[in-house]
Amino acid sequence: MWRLGDRDLPSNIDFDGGSDWICLNRKFVDYLVHSDDTLVTGMKHMYRYALLPAESFFHVVLRNSRYCTSFAKGNMRLANWKRKLGCRCQYKHIVDWCGCSPNDFKPEDLVRLQSQTINHFARKFEPIVNQEIINLLDEWLFGKPETPLIARNVYWENVYHSRHDNGSKFDMILTALQSFSRVASKEQTVNDCEFFPIWRPEQATLYMLNDTFHGVLSQQEYKVIAGRTLRETIPMETYFQPIRFLEMKNGNMSEPANRLQSLAVGTSWDQKERIFRNIAGIIGPRDEPVLVHRWVHGPEFHVRIVWQDPLNVIAGMYQMKVDKTWVISFHKPKFNKPLRPGTWTVKIVFNDDITLGLTKFLVIPQNYYDGKEGVLNDVIATNNGPPAGLYASDYVVEFDRAANDTSERVVEFAKNSKSIGSSLEGWIDSIMQQHWKFVGICVSSERTGVKNKCIAQLPSCSNTDWSSKSPDPKSEVKRIEPNGYLS
C-alpha cells in the first residue's frame, strides 16, 4: 500500500482508534455486515482507502452508532513491545510507511506473563522462533503431564506442498528438494536394492529441535527394486542436515579483535526477531545474501568485510566501523545479479591482513523456472554469474591472490554453468553434498502386504523421532471440554 496524500475527514464524526485486538458483540457484527445506513456505508468507503483500518474502523462505528453506550474499554491482552527492535522500517521495498510490531515472547518473558491477572490474550507467539515458551505456558496453565511428552521440544513447519506451491517463488526450494531426492536414492542403493525418485517431491518440512534448525524433511514417492525384479512404489520421507562452515580465528587475540563472536550468511533477515526467515538457508543466484555478525562490547575499531565468490573473485570489499556497544548487526551488499553459483566465502579482516572470522555459504545453481526444468537459455542467463563478470558497475575484477586453484575453478565453472539435464543435476548434487548431509530415510505409509525386502528393512516414519509423520501430542486438538478448554 502506498500513501497518496492528505485528505479531509468528516467533521461530524467522533473518531477513535486503538488495538485491533477487540471482542465484538454478535448484534454489532450483524449491524456492520448488513446495515445500509449512511454511517456504516460511509465508513466502509472511507476505510477502504485507509492504512490499518482494523485499528480504527470498528471503534469509530461503535462510538457513532446506536451502540455508542454499549462499549467497555479494557486492555485484556499483553503485547511484547520492544520498540528498539519492533519499530524498524524494514519493508520500504513494499510500502512507504513505517509501523511498530510486538516481538515474539520467549522463555525470559514467562514471569511477566504469569504476573498478569486480567489478560486473556497475548502476542506474539511463534514456534518457528521459540517453541519453549509455548510449552512452559501450557505446563503453567494446565499442569505438567504425568509422563514426559513425546516430541515436546520438536516443531515441524511445512514450507512446500506440490498441490498449491507453484511458480517462480518455489523454484529454488524445488531445485534443492530434487537434489535431496537424487542423493538419498544413491545413498540407499546398495547391494541388490535400488531406489529411484518418482516425478517430484510432494512436501518439504523444516525440522526444529530445541528451538534450533536441524534440517529439511522431504516427502516423495520412490520406486524400489529388489534383486532387479521385484518393483514397488512407496512414499518415503528423507532427512537432510546442513553442514555449517564457520572459522573463528580471533579466540586468542586481544581487544578489540576478540570482540567478534560469530558470523552467518542467509537471506530474508528479520531485524525484529533477529533471525533469517529463510530458515533452511536455500539461496539461489538471484537472492540477496545478508551477513549477520555478533559482537561483545569493547573498544571501537574498523574492519573490512570481504565477499569472495566460487572463482576466488573478490565480489565486494567494504570498510566498516565496529561501534563499541554493538551486539548484533548486519551487512547487505548490493551485488549485480545473478550471483555465481557455488561456495562463497565471507571474511571479516582487521588491519588489512588479520582474518578475525570467516564463513561459507552455498549459492545453488538453478534448475527450475516457474516450476519447470529450464532450457539452455534460462540456465545460461541464471547460472553464468553477473553480466560481464562484474558484481558492481564501478568495480574491477580482482582475484584472491592467496588462492592457488583459480585457473582450475574457472575452467570447471565454464563447463558447469552451461550444462542442462543430467549434467546440471550432477553439478548441483556435487556441491549440495558439500553443504548438506543425508541423515536418514523412512517409509511414510503402511507396509501391509509389502514383499520388497528393501522396503521392509526401512523404519516406519510413525516410529522415527525426526519424521513429520511421528506423533506430536502437543499439537493435537481432540475436543472442546464443557469448560471451554480444548483437549
Side-chain angles (χ1 to χ4, degrees), residues 301-359:
F301 70 119
H302 290 77
V303 296
R304 279 188 296 127
I305 300 176
V306 181
W307 294 76
Q308 184 173 315
D309 86 352
L311 299 190
N312 297 324
V313 171
I314 305 301
M317 190 180 301
Y318 305 88
Q319 298 290 334
M320 180 177 70
K321 182 179 75 172
V322 181
D323 190 89
K324 59 185 177 181
T325 60
W326 267 9
V327 175
I328 182 170
S329 189
F330 69 96
H331 170 69
K332 186 176 182 179
K334 294 293 184 181
F335 291 138
N336 290 335
K337 304 296 187 305
L339 303 177
R340 193 168 276 129
T343 300
W344 283 62
T345 302
V346 185
K347 307 174 187 177
I348 292 186
V349 180
F350 176 51
N351 279 350
D352 293 329
D353 60 353
I354 302 174
T355 299
L356 304 184
L358 67 86
T359 186

Side-chain angles (χ1 to χ4, degrees), residues 48 59 104 166 180 193 287 292 294 333 363 379 438 480 482:
R48 187 174 290 117
H59 311 68
D104 292 336
N166 301 302
F180 289 157
C193 293
D287 286 327
V292 173
R294 300 173 187 268
V363 174
V379 170
F438 172 71
I480 302 176

Side-chain angles (χ1 to χ4, degrees), residues 16 47 89 141 143 148 184 227 236-237 275 314 330-331 344 364-365 401 450 464:
D16 197 359
Y47 279 101
C89 298
L141 291 169
M236 298 185 184
E237 187 169 49
I275 65 168
I314 305 301
F330 69 96
H331 170 69
W344 283 62
I364 305 171
R401 297 174 184 175
V450 171
T464 303

Side-chain angles (χ1 to χ4, degrees), residues 110 113-114 116 119-120 125 133-144 485:
L110 180 63
L113 287 163
Q114 291 173 329
Q116 304 300 312
N119 298 114
H120 297 273
F125 296 94
I133 183 60
I134 301 174
N135 293 337
L136 292 173
L137 274 177
D138 275 348
E139 293 170 358
W140 176 60
L141 291 169
F142 309 114
K144 289 187 177 182
Y485 285 111

Side-chain angles (χ1 to χ4, degrees), residues 1-22:
M1 178 178 287
W2 301 95
R3 188 174 185 274
L4 300 179
D6 296 329
R7 62 175 172 176
D8 295 328
L9 298 178
S11 59
N12 59 336
I13 296 294
D14 185 10
F15 280 91
D16 197 359
S19 172
D20 55 2
W21 286 65
I22 52 180

Side-chain angles (χ1 to χ4, degrees), residues 242-261:
I243 300 171
R244 308 293 186 188
F245 292 91
L246 174 64
E247 291 184 43
M248 299 304 298
K249 298 177 176 290
N250 64 337
N252 296 322
M253 298 181 187
S254 57
E255 285 191 334
N258 64 354
R259 288 186 55 197
L260 181 63
Q261 299 298 295

